[in-house]
Amino acid sequence: MHNIALIDWAICLSYLAVVVGLGFYFSKQQTDNAEYFFGGHHMHWVPVGLSLFASTFSSNSFVGLPAEGAFSDYHQLLAIFFIPFVVVPITCIWFIPFYKRLGFDSLYEYLERRFARPVRLAASAIFMAYLAGWMGTMLLAVTRILSVVLETESAAQNLAVIVVVGLLATLYTAVGGVKAVIWTDTLQAFALCGGMFFLLYLLMDRIDGSLAAWLELGQQEAKFTMFRTDGGLAHRNVFSACAYGFFVYMGGQVASYTAYQRYVTVASVSGAQRALMIKGVFTLISCTLFFFVGTALFVFYQQSAPDVFREFSSGSSKDQLLPHFVIHHAGGYGMTGLILAGLFAAAMSSLDTGINSMTATMVTDWLNGREIGIRANRLLTLAFGAVTTLAACMLSLIDSPVFDVLLSVSGATLGLLLSVLLLGMLLPRANTIGVVSGLIAGLAVFGVIRIWIPGLDEDRLQELGVFAGLSNNTWWDGMLTTVPAMAVGALVSYLTPPPSAAQLQGLLLLRPPA
């Protein structure tokens, strides 16, 4: 901790005080479920859009994306470009008007109307499993940052960091509800982008040759490559990037309760569309910055400390490269504190969103939106925050970059949710037996990819040929979960009795209500 000055601590603690203070400020406005979970359905689209951005790209982005830019190339940025150029337009044109027309408090209420209540509860359970894993990786990323900052050396110290960060985020989310989440996310969105601009400036200032050297060495080492077509299923190329970019990010925007919750906090269709456009613009700018920073980290360490770069080049150590620069090379009195406040802001923006959404889906889906009182809502939020913190403690034992862990979790869960929703919205013949069969099929395929194939010995892997590469590339998980689930769901639906007319009335995406 000797690298951190008193002013750095003051900056970080001041930020935390503001965030917690906002939670207690908005606690006075909580009267019922509509206020606590949906902001009274009258939030302004600007903070909602910034919240959509900040809650998606947080601590994972701060450590994971620069690590990709430093140790790999720009294929992951190509996948991210699907958000502003593909996912946002599709969602704005077709899904947001449809969702607003439905008027449901929960996205998964649609599944009960279209199929049956058990399907709704299954979707809610899958979503909560996704949130637990997603928020766990967020806390894991924070731990890897702070383990460098605080120079923690034992597993017990790292677990203590996870517990403190997790419970702090839970505290202001529990007392402030979704308004506290959205307004703190608004601050954190600017902290996120501002921190990246500042880091890029510092890196360029410390690179011998500045921008010219950054471009020259980056091109020489193929860091800017994003359209490779060679390689098999094990390689990150344009094909796996497209599979990842479309299926994972489409699932996150169309099939997650978190995104739907933001749409319904805004009163109008146009407001929700503008909010999502803000996310698209901030995603485009900030994530490009993340990769520029990653390439700058690569150039800086190749020039000044190549041995340190090699030390961080494997497993979970990749996530520690950026915090290492912040602590040891950022320099300047107070600069470390400013950057660390941005890093900490990134983590909190996702944790608060996830915890609030987990509580919201429990109340709206499992308790049918029953008014259980603000105190009970807060107690549920505290309980889910504790569950998330426990999940992060378990994930801390995994020696993998956080983005690899996150993609595997997202591919399985969001792929399943996307498949069942698309079956219901696009296929009139889809029925309950079909979608349940599809869910089972998608889960089985994921189990083969992530459990069975990685457990095979070398001889058995050679027998699988190109398919053996799936065990080393989580970018295919979303597609290989969604497509089989939809195919089996459609096939079984056509082999079994069709749904009733009541299960179709006003519930098909491309067919307006009569």
Side-chain angles (χ1 to χ4, degrees), residues 62-72 74 196 200 203 214 223-224 287-301 309 321-322:
F62 249 113
V63 298
L65 296 184
E68 278 288 318
F71 294 103
S72 186
Y74 279 28
M196 278 297 119
L200 186 60
L203 280 159
W214 177 80
K223 289 297 177 182
F224 304 120
C287 290
T288 302
L289 276 174
F290 291 147
F291 276 82
F292 285 175
V293 166
T295 305
L297 284 169
F298 169 77
V299 174
F300 172 80
Y301 279 100
F309 187 83
L321 183 66
L322 186 146

Side-chain angles (χ1 to χ4, degrees), residues 386-430:
V387 170
T388 299
T389 303
L390 177 61
C393 291
M394 297 172 64
L395 287 172
S396 68
L397 304 175
I398 300 176
D399 184 28
S400 297
V402 289
F403 247 100
D404 288 347
V405 178
L406 176 61
L407 282 179
S408 188
V409 172
S410 301
T413 52
L414 294 179
L416 292 174
L417 292 174
L418 182 62
S419 66
V420 68
L421 281 164
L422 290 183
L423 280 170
M425 295 175 186
L426 300 178
L427 188 67
R429 183 68 187 230

Side-chain angles (χ1 to χ4, degrees), residues 95-106:
F95 287 93
I96 286 180
F98 180 67
Y99 288 163
K100 298 292 282 186
R101 188 171 75 238
L102 291 175
F104 300 150
D105 279 339
S106 168

Side-chain angles (χ1 to χ4, degrees), residues 240-322:
S240 59
C242 290
Y244 156 31
F246 183 81
F247 287 96
V248 173
Y249 290 129
M250 185 62 73
Q253 209 57 63
V254 169
S256 79
Y257 190 107
T258 300
Y260 183 87
Q261 185 183 18
R262 294 296 179 275
Y263 304 150
V264 299
T265 60
V266 181
S268 66
V269 170
S270 61
Q273 290 169 330
R274 292 191 194 104
L276 192 53
M277 291 176 191
I278 286 181
K279 173 182 176 173
V281 171
F282 268 73
T283 297
L284 178 64
I285 296 171
S286 64
C287 290
T288 302
L289 276 174
F290 291 147
F291 276 82
F292 285 175
V293 166
T295 305
L297 284 169
F298 169 77
V299 174
F300 172 80
Y301 279 100
Q302 292 306 306
Q303 290 182 345
S304 61
D307 55 330
V308 174
F309 187 83
R310 287 191 295 271
E311 180 184 343
F312 287 116
S313 63
S314 63
S316 60
S317 298
K318 292 181 179 180
D319 296 328
Q320 297 178 335
L321 183 66
L322 186 146

Side-chain angles (χ1 to χ4, degrees), residues 110-116 119 418-438 485-505 507-509 511:
Y110 168 84
L111 296 176
E112 180 174 357
R113 302 287 184 89
R114 179 67 175 83
F115 300 114
V119 178
L418 182 62
S419 66
V420 68
L421 281 164
L422 290 183
L423 280 170
M425 295 175 186
L426 300 178
L427 188 67
R429 183 68 187 230
N431 59 27
T432 303
I433 298 174
V435 298
V436 171
S437 301
M486 291 192 67
V488 171
L491 177 62
V492 173
S493 293
Y494 275 103
L495 296 176
T496 51
S500 65
Q503 291 176 301
L504 300 177
Q505 181 62 41
L507 299 177
L508 296 175
L509 180 64
R511 184 186 299 175

